[in-house]
Amino acid sequence: MIERHVMSRKTQKRPVRTAATTLIAGLVLSSVFAVGAQAQDLIGSYTAYIGQPDLVDQTGARLTQPWQVLRQDRANFHRYGISQPGDEFDPFFGTIKNRKNMERMAKNGSIDATAAKRLMEGRGLVYVRIYGRGNTGTAINVTAAK
């Protein structure tokens, strides 16, 4: 005798609907995470020598954070024409608006410990990578240059 399991139409459709719903939800979530996790474009990079003029702001006050020193270095380079051997042009921080975003960009990126020390002591080269989309910078990664 062959045993048959009879399922109602409602029961038969339910697993298919659940599987289809799960599949669609998975695809939607994976596309959302993929867009959020996409790497930003490298939109510029430069090497900067951090010297004594970079350690103080335009009023002469000593700067207290590595990103402040980096921002002052770019203001000195682009706005005031002050540079040291090793400073390079960058395509991004020539505007006041972009320099004002330096803190946010540093928080979204990273400054390694050796680079931070060089920034705060005012001696040495750092290498800066600028990430974003188009003309909008979102993060910087700063490392000690060799």
Side-chain angles (χ1 to χ4, degrees):
M1 179 151 125
I2 299 175
E3 207 173 298
R4 289 187 185 177
H5 295 293
V6 179
M7 296 174 71
S8 71
R9 284 186 170 205
K10 188 175 181 181
T11 307
Q12 288 175 349
K13 287 183 181 178
R14 191 169 164 201
V16 173
R17 185 176 297 148
T18 301
T21 303
T22 302
L23 178 63
I24 290 170
L27 290 172
V28 168
L29 285 174
S30 67
S31 66
V32 167
F33 288 126
V35 169
Q38 282 180 343
Q40 297 292 306
D41 295 329
L42 179 65
I43 60 175
S45 64
Y46 66 95
T47 301
Y49 182 86
I50 305 304
Q52 294 303 309
D54 302 321
L55 300 179
V56 295
D57 68 13
Q58 60 274 18
T59 67
R62 178 69 163 89
L63 301 172
T64 60
Q65 298 295 319
W67 65 266
Q68 293 172 329
V69 174
L70 199 58
R71 181 178 65 188
Q72 187 63 44
D73 170 78
R74 293 294 87 191
N76 287 345
F77 185 89
H78 289 288
R79 184 172 182 191
Y80 302 114
I82 300 169
S83 64
Q84 295 87 32
D87 277 339
E88 292 180 346
F89 173 81
D90 72 86
F92 187 76
F93 291 115
T95 67
I96 293 171
K97 177 186 169 200
N98 286 345
R99 288 192 301 273
K100 283 183 179 181
N101 291 327
M102 182 84 68
E103 178 181 14
R104 176 185 52 79
M105 294 173 68
K107 286 181 180 178
N108 290 339
S110 64
I111 300 176
D112 77 26
T114 303
K117 183 176 180 180
R118 288 181 183 180
L119 287 164
M120 296 313 297
E121 291 177 354
R123 57 179 178 80
L125 287 170
V126 294
Y127 183 65
V128 181
R129 292 172 190 85
I130 307 163
Y131 294 93
R133 293 271 183 218
N135 293 329
T136 303
T138 56
I140 56 172
N141 288 340
V142 185
T143 55
K146 300 188 188 299

